[in-house]
Amino acid sequence: MALALLAGCMHVPPRTVAAEEAQVPERWHAPLTVEPAASVAVPKEAASAASTPAKGAQAPGLDALYDWWGRWNDPALLTLIGAAEEASPTLATAAARIAQARAAAVGARAALAPSVDVQASVSRGTYNQLPDPSLLMTTKQLGGQLQWELDVFGRLRQARSAADARLQGAQAQWHDARLTLAADTARQYFALLACQDQRDIALADARSRTDTERLTRHLAGAGFTAAANLALAEAGTAQAEAQQQEVATQCAAALKSLSALTALDASRLQERLGSTRLGTAPVPDLTLVAVDRVPADVLAHRPDVYAAAQAVAAASGDVGAAEAARYPSLGLSGSIARMQVGLGGYGQASGSTWSFGPLALDLPLFDGGRRRAQAAAARTQYEAAVSQYRATVRDAVREVETALDALAGARARSQHMDRAVAGFRRQFEAAQARYRAGMGSLLDLEQARHDLLAAQTAQTRLRQETRDDAVALYRALGGGWDARVLPDTQPDRTLVAEGEARRLLAAQRRAATVSAPARTAALPGSTAAGPRRAASATGSASASLTPSVP
């Protein structure tokens, strides 16, 4: 009765953090349409399915994220992302953390069940109390012992809940690291392609300036132009060659960065990407992504937000376990044994024994405040986890809205920039024709050339920025991750089964074949439509923004 009263008045750990406490806005404050003239209406059926997803069903708009990398129609990009995954120490570290969390979860679950130990012994010797001390006595014994802590106050259950939450959080962190790695690889790839585009622009500018210098030299030799114009043409050629060398150095640095990220040989990587340019690579349409859903629904598909919620749940379980440790514990034990005794040639005797109990009560009386301090420390960790969760949600909202603003602005500027480049090109061609006909000045030609070069450079940077913004939006939306739908990939078990040596060997084989013709699917587990669907924590844990203890 006393134990029942104590169990009824024991402290209940904090369990949830309301979504509104995380300051999630009710609507987005950024443009939801990422195409200049596109608008996607969400059907009522889709909105209803989003609010109450069926088991095994996919949330509206997630398919656009699942297959998003495949929509680039760029086998080289898929190859690079797959190579980066194989060579990434960050993913390997995240997988090791899953293995640690999984082992801790198994131990926490096992603590709730009884433990059974088996002992066996054999002894042989003389015994002075026998009538004939020279007789050899053989004793054999086999027995089992049971130990079971009755979790009256929920300490073990709270510890199990905390361990399960940490396992789910570790799995979500692995997916977040994988998503970040893919985005970083894509940005490095786009930076290299933009540099190659800029190198082509610098090469064309150098050739044009060389032709102008040659023509000006002929005119100066014939006395049709001043020596100052020849000096200006020579200076322009030298400047273009210097600019070309600077861009080549930047491209070499970008290539080495991508090589280090993917563990691919730089020379073979350059051969593979030699003909690829940024200007010809299409940008996938993101209007199919259900960004127009409320922020809480969108952020539920971010693995970092889910991991932060699981950290709150784990900290809540730690509070419950620490509080329960201040109350008595009840243990039960039992044993059973079989013994056989042999006396030389006089035969043998055997018997069995068993016992059930005692029912042991461990009542903490005085520990100098140690248990109370541990409970206070656990509650402090819980408050810190809640604060971190709220900060993660706010950062997630900011990232989505920033990416929406940036992508909408970049695509709106693209139309104006295309018209500007076309206009400056026509101006340059007209100025060049007038100069060759002897009716224009070299200063006018150089000014037109400068305007065209600046516009082309800005256009290349804008194309790179547009692709980077699209990747940032994909990253901010969670990359199609969904804790409610997807199965567990168990990356830690793959890591343990294959080992670091096999992973390095696979990376070397990929580096050896990177110069071969691109295959359709390059990511591990991918299909032609895109990479494999990232997985969530084991089971059917909720993907809501409200973290809770299982």
Side-chain angles (χ1 to χ4, degrees), residues 212-213 215-236 435 442-443:
T212 301
E213 179 190 357
L215 177 60
T216 306
R217 190 178 301 278
H218 289 315
L219 293 175
F224 290 106
T225 188
N229 288 338
L230 177 59
L232 178 60
E234 291 175 346
Y435 182 73
L442 182 60
L443 290 176

Side-chain angles (χ1 to χ4, degrees), residues 122-144:
V122 177
S123 63
R124 184 178 177 86
T126 59
Y127 188 50
N128 294 332
Q129 301 298 326
L130 293 176
D132 186 357
S134 63
L135 290 176
L136 293 177
M137 184 176 65
T138 302
T139 304
K140 303 176 183 178
Q141 184 173 0
L142 177 65

Side-chain angles (χ1 to χ4, degrees), residues 459-483:
Q459 184 185 46
T460 300
R461 291 176 180 173
L462 183 57
R463 286 173 176 172
Q464 178 187 356
E465 180 183 342
T466 303
R467 284 154 178 79
D468 289 344
D469 291 339
V471 173
L473 180 58
Y474 166 82
R475 169 70 180 86
L477 294 176
W481 180 85
D482 192 348

Side-chain angles (χ1 to χ4, degrees), residues 47-403:
S48 176
S51 60
T52 56
K55 184 177 181 181
Q58 298 175 359
L62 286 181
D63 283 339
L65 290 178
Y66 288 144
D67 305 334
W68 194 67
W69 292 119
R71 293 173 184 265
W72 288 89
N73 194 25
D74 190 346
L77 177 59
L78 296 180
T79 302
L80 292 174
I81 294 177
E85 284 192 1
E86 290 184 356
S88 173
T90 303
L91 279 185
T93 302
R97 291 196 184 101
I98 295 180
Q100 295 173 359
R102 193 187 302 278
V106 171
R109 296 189 193 102
L112 285 167
S115 63
V116 179
D117 299 324
V118 176
Q119 300 92 21
S121 63
V122 177
S123 63
R124 184 178 177 86
T126 59
Y127 188 50
N128 294 332
Q129 301 298 326
L130 293 176
D132 186 357
S134 63
L135 290 176
L136 293 177
M137 184 176 65
T138 302
T139 304
K140 303 176 183 178
Q141 184 173 0
L142 177 65
Q145 188 172 5
L146 169 71
Q147 297 287 340
W148 188 14
E149 180 179 350
L150 304 179
D151 193 25
V152 178
F153 296 99
R155 181 180 67 85
L156 298 180
R157 292 192 298 273
Q158 292 292 341
R160 179 196 60 186
S161 298
D164 289 341
R166 288 191 173 91
L167 173 59
Q168 295 175 10
Q171 290 172 330
Q173 288 174 347
W174 180 85
H175 292 291
D176 184 61
R178 183 172 181 260
L179 180 61
T180 302
L181 178 64
D184 291 343
T185 304
R187 282 192 287 264
Q188 288 281 359
Y189 175 64
F190 296 146
L192 178 59
L193 296 187
C195 189
Q196 293 184 159
D197 284 357
Q198 190 61 39
R199 184 174 57 188
D200 294 342
I201 294 173
L203 178 60
D205 181 65
R207 290 174 178 172
S208 176
R209 290 180 185 270
T210 301
D211 294 339
T212 301
E213 179 190 357
R214 186 181 303 112
L215 177 60
T216 306
R217 190 178 301 278
H218 289 315
L219 293 175
F224 290 106
T225 188
N229 288 338
L230 177 59
L232 178 60
E234 291 175 346
T237 302
Q239 183 182 19
E241 291 176 352
Q243 180 68 22
Q244 186 178 357
Q245 291 297 326
E246 180 182 357
V247 174
T249 302
Q250 295 173 355
C251 291
L255 178 64
K256 289 179 174 59
S257 297
L258 188 59
S259 175
L261 186 62
T262 59
L264 300 177
D265 182 72
S267 60
R268 293 183 178 179
L269 184 59
Q270 181 61 62
E271 293 176 1
R272 176 68 180 84
L273 305 178
S275 60
T276 307
R277 292 295 182 268
L278 188 65
T280 60
V283 179
D285 185 10
L286 281 173
T287 56
L288 297 179
V289 180
V291 186
D292 51 349
R293 295 162 60 189
V294 296
D297 290 341
V298 174
L299 298 182
H301 299 289
R302 284 186 53 128
D304 57 339
V305 174
Y306 182 82
Q310 293 305 310
V312 175
S316 176
D318 290 340
V319 172
E323 291 288 350
R326 300 173 58 190
Y327 293 86
S329 62
L330 192 63
L332 181 65
S333 62
S335 64
I336 184 172
R338 176 75 176 178
M339 179 181 294
Q340 185 180 75
V341 179
L343 297 175
Y346 292 92
Q348 60 185 15
S350 61
S352 300
T353 62
W354 65 271
S355 66
F356 186 75
L359 185 64
L361 177 65
D362 184 5
L363 180 64
L365 293 179
F366 178 76
D367 59 2
R370 176 176 59 86
R371 291 182 177 87
R372 183 184 297 273
Q374 291 174 345
R379 180 166 292 277
T380 302
Q381 291 293 330
Y382 171 80
E383 297 297 336
V386 171
S387 299
Q388 182 60 43
Y389 167 75
R390 292 170 179 167
T392 302
V393 171
R394 289 194 297 269
D395 289 341
V397 173
R398 174 186 55 80
E399 289 175 2
V400 173
E401 294 197 335
T402 300

